[in-house]
Amino acid sequence: RLALVAGSGVAMYSGVMIGLNSLWYKDYPRSAFHLFNDNNEWLQMDKIGHATTAYYVGKIGIEVFHWTGMKPTPSIILGGSIGLLFLTGIEVLDGYSTQWGFSSGDMLANAAGAGLVIGQQLIWEEQRIGIKFSYYPSSYAQFRPSALGKNFSEQVLKDYNAQSYWLSCNIADFCKSESRFPKWLNVAIGYGADGMTGAVVNSYDLGAPSPGVPFERNRQYYLALDVELAKLK
């Protein structure tokens, strides 16, 4: 099982990196490896997206390495690092593209997502605090479809105004075993942003509807109850 996972993992990783390099990055000029500071873009919504991706790929990686029969600690560390490894490869490709660059902020977010999944698994042998994602269509994509997406599938990934990210905590996991607190009920802290049609300053596509007045860029914070579906029988 370990040989199967290692072999297929290397093949998939190589295929994705080669595919990205030839299908995406070839359309942009190349340069020497360089750094790029994008920490002030999109009110940091993109950074939380990086952490979320690293968290979920790491979570899947841990489950896969557990399936191979590897001992718990190495399976957690190796599996939980898969997301960080994958996203680091993309950052390296960015570093050789004049359009982007290697972002230390992205790497810090990637490490945070991997650290969250690895740390919890090592300490508690479970994920008591998870990252969740929600989407609700915004009205901003019509003014900048080139950046925010032209249709639903693109807007889910690109329109940061429409995205929310949550740290969802399962309270029952922190209670004593005899506690009657519902095991399926979580408390979640959320973050989102609004009024963005550009990374740092707002701009609008030619031919798009006029917004009339400039949008005000702002951060949004949420507190909500959340149903943990994995806890439902």
Side-chain angles (χ1 to χ4, degrees):
R1 287 184 178 186
L2 183 58
L4 175 63
V5 168
S8 59
V10 170
M12 289 176 60
Y13 182 79
S14 301
V16 169
M17 290 298 107
I18 293 172
L20 280 173
N21 189 53
S22 60
L23 298 176
W24 179 264
Y25 290 94
K26 73 174 184 180
D27 296 329
Y28 300 97
R30 303 296 177 94
S31 68
F33 184 82
H34 62 285
L35 302 179
F36 176 65
N37 185 354
D38 61 350
N39 294 333
N40 63 337
E41 294 185 357
W42 300 111
L43 296 180
Q44 294 76 52
M45 286 292 290
D46 58 321
K47 300 295 180 284
I48 302 178
H50 274 265
T52 301
T53 302
Y55 175 84
Y56 273 102
V57 175
K59 187 176 180 181
I60 294 171
I62 290 172
E63 294 175 357
V64 169
F65 276 98
H66 275 163
W67 174 77
T68 67
M70 183 181 289
K71 291 182 178 180
T73 299
S75 68
I76 291 169
I77 294 174
L78 286 175
S81 301
I82 296 297
L84 179 59
L85 175 65
F86 171 71
L87 292 170
T88 298
I90 295 178
E91 285 300 324
V92 171
L93 292 177
D94 280 351
Y96 286 100
S97 173
T98 56
Q99 186 77 7
W100 298 281
F102 186 93
S103 168
S104 58
D106 285 353
M107 283 302 302
L108 182 61
N110 298 338
L116 180 63
V117 69
I118 292 173
Q120 290 189 88
Q121 207 67 34
L122 288 175
I123 296 170
W124 297 315
E125 299 181 352
E126 61 182 352
Q127 298 296 303
R128 297 183 179 185
I129 303 172
I131 303 179
K132 294 191 177 184
F133 167 86
S134 60
Y135 170 86
Y136 189 85
S138 81
S139 59
Y140 299 100
Q142 61 180 316
F143 304 110
R144 188 90 190 281
S146 62
L148 304 182
K150 302 180 181 65
N151 50 52
F152 174 80
S153 59
E154 290 185 358
Q155 290 167 13
V156 170
L157 297 175
K158 292 183 174 183
D159 188 358
Y160 292 118
N161 304 284
Q163 301 174 2
S164 299
Y165 292 92
W166 306 81
L167 277 178
S168 184
C169 177
N170 188 259
I171 303 300
D173 284 340
F174 291 94
C175 298
K176 295 181 179 180
S177 57
E178 62 269 19
S179 172
R180 301 185 65 180
F181 193 92
K183 297 184 182 301
W184 51 267
L185 184 59
N186 284 16
V187 174
I189 299 172
Y191 176 71
D194 197 53
M196 303 179 296
T197 58
V200 180
V201 296
N202 288 344
S203 59
Y204 311 99
D205 286 352
L206 291 176
S210 172
V213 295
F215 297 126
E216 182 180 352
R217 301 162 68 93
N218 62 82
R219 306 174 190 274
Q220 299 176 338
Y221 303 92
Y222 315 110
L223 178 66
L225 297 177
D226 178 35
V227 174
E228 182 56 49
L229 298 178
K231 298 288 186 177
L232 293 176
K233 294 184 180 180

